[in-house]
Amino acid sequence: CERCQCHSKDKNTAILYTLLSQNLHPGRARQRCLCHQRRTVRLRTPHVTCQAASDVLVKTISFMKNLPSFYLLPKEDQLLLLDSCWVPLFLLGLVQEMVTFEVMEAPAPSMLKKILLSGQSKGQEPERTQPTLAAVQRLQCCLNTFWSLDLSPKEYAYLKGAILFNPDIPGLRVSLYIESLQREAQRALQEVVQPLHPDDQGRFSHILLVASSLKSIPPTLITDLFFRPVIGDADIAELLVEMLYEAPG
């Protein structure tokens, strides 16, 4: 940690920080690190990026709603697939729509203010978490890798199907049928890839490998970064269900 304040040469600042940290979180002062990668960040232009992200989310849910094979599934399985797959599908939508974004360092809350008001904050909601720079950079790395693949519209469509119909989700009632839908989507994807890229024999497996990396992005990161500025404390999972089952118009 090159810029970590925990090991700052300014001993007076370090001592003051340790004392304040001990008052806020007894026994945890030594665990806190303010190095560059752990600094919290927020969108540089939230009004623009959040609107673009919301549009992508609407298209993502519409993709599910317009798939007859999805709507023929039991509702319990629909909800499990929605909860498990909305993030990678949303990220794939960001890539397809070429949504880019920048972040800036989030202002650090006043530690002294926290100490002074610590006795008055009982019963209040805990402060919202904010994404770290390291988490956002990992997300952007995944998106950049996908952009480098330069997928065609058909490749996007069949890849979305392969991601959505995930038979490995615990609790599915018709997992075997969902597995057959995934195989069908993967087969269709492979049939599209081969004539488009005859000289790249490893493209199909590479696409699936890169797609699997999207599943490692936590929903909390996506929610806090793109949607929390809009929905506030609302539960994103409940909003997704409402979007999925709302009546047209």
Side-chain angles (χ1 to χ4, degrees):
C1 300
E2 297 178 0
R3 304 170 67 179
C4 178
Q5 296 184 21
C6 302
H7 301 86
S8 172
K9 294 182 179 180
D10 186 350
K11 295 183 179 180
N12 293 329
T13 303
I15 292 174
L16 176 60
Y17 172 77
T18 302
L19 291 175
L20 295 177
S21 298
Q22 288 174 341
N23 287 333
L24 281 176
H25 305 288
R28 290 175 52 189
R30 293 183 180 179
Q31 300 177 6
R32 182 166 174 80
C33 176
L34 295 183
C35 59
H36 182 66
Q37 294 295 311
R38 293 184 179 274
R39 290 179 179 174
T40 56
V41 295
R42 62 182 181 183
L43 294 172
R44 185 175 294 277
T45 56
H47 57 291
V48 175
T49 306
C50 290
Q51 180 60 56
S54 297
D55 292 342
V56 170
L57 185 62
V58 170
K59 292 181 180 180
T60 300
I61 302 301
S62 295
F63 166 77
M64 298 183 190
K65 296 173 68 171
N66 293 329
L67 280 178
S69 53
F70 177 79
Y71 248 79
L72 290 175
L73 298 175
K75 185 175 181 179
E76 296 86 351
D77 286 8
Q78 293 178 18
L79 294 175
L80 287 173
L81 293 176
L82 172 67
D83 182 66
S84 174
C85 302
W86 78 268
V87 169
L89 288 177
F90 167 76
L91 294 177
L92 201 57
L94 288 184
V95 177
Q96 187 173 13
E97 298 295 328
M98 300 295 291
V99 177
T100 59
F101 61 93
E102 295 182 358
V103 295
M104 58 186 295
E105 187 174 351
S110 170
M111 193 169 297
L112 182 58
K113 181 179 179 180
K114 281 187 175 183
I115 294 174
L116 295 176
L117 299 180
S118 60
Q120 305 176 23
S121 59
K122 294 181 179 180
Q124 295 182 358
E125 293 291 331
E127 288 191 8
R128 298 176 188 169
T129 58
Q130 288 184 305
T132 63
L133 179 59
V136 172
Q137 288 178 336
R138 180 183 179 189
L139 167 60
Q140 290 177 323
C141 180
C142 289
L143 299 180
N144 289 336
T145 302
F146 250 110
W147 275 316
S148 68
L149 292 175
D150 193 22
L151 300 181
S152 68
K154 286 187 177 180
E155 286 175 314
Y156 275 115
Y158 293 130
L159 180 57
K160 289 178 182 178
I163 291 175
L164 173 61
F165 297 116
N166 180 8
D168 299 325
I169 300 174
L172 291 174
R173 294 177 56 186
V174 291
S175 58
L176 292 180
Y177 176 61
I178 293 174
E179 184 178 7
S180 69
L181 293 175
Q182 185 184 64
R183 286 200 303 266
E184 182 180 340
Q186 290 177 343
R187 183 167 53 250
L189 173 62
Q190 190 171 22
E191 291 175 354
V192 169
V193 169
Q194 288 178 343
L196 288 178
H197 304 273
D199 297 330
D200 189 354
Q201 298 298 321
R203 180 175 174 85
F204 171 71
S205 58
H206 184 52
I207 290 175
L208 294 182
L209 179 62
V210 176
S212 66
S213 68
L214 298 180
K215 299 178 182 179
S216 66
I217 305 298
T220 52
L221 171 62
I222 302 304
T223 303
D224 292 339
L225 185 62
F226 295 110
F227 301 113
R228 195 60 68 195
V230 177
I231 68 174
D233 295 325
D235 188 345
I236 185 68
E238 294 180 0
L239 294 178
L240 292 173
V241 173
E242 291 179 7
M243 294 172 63
L244 184 63
Y245 294 111
E246 67 180 354

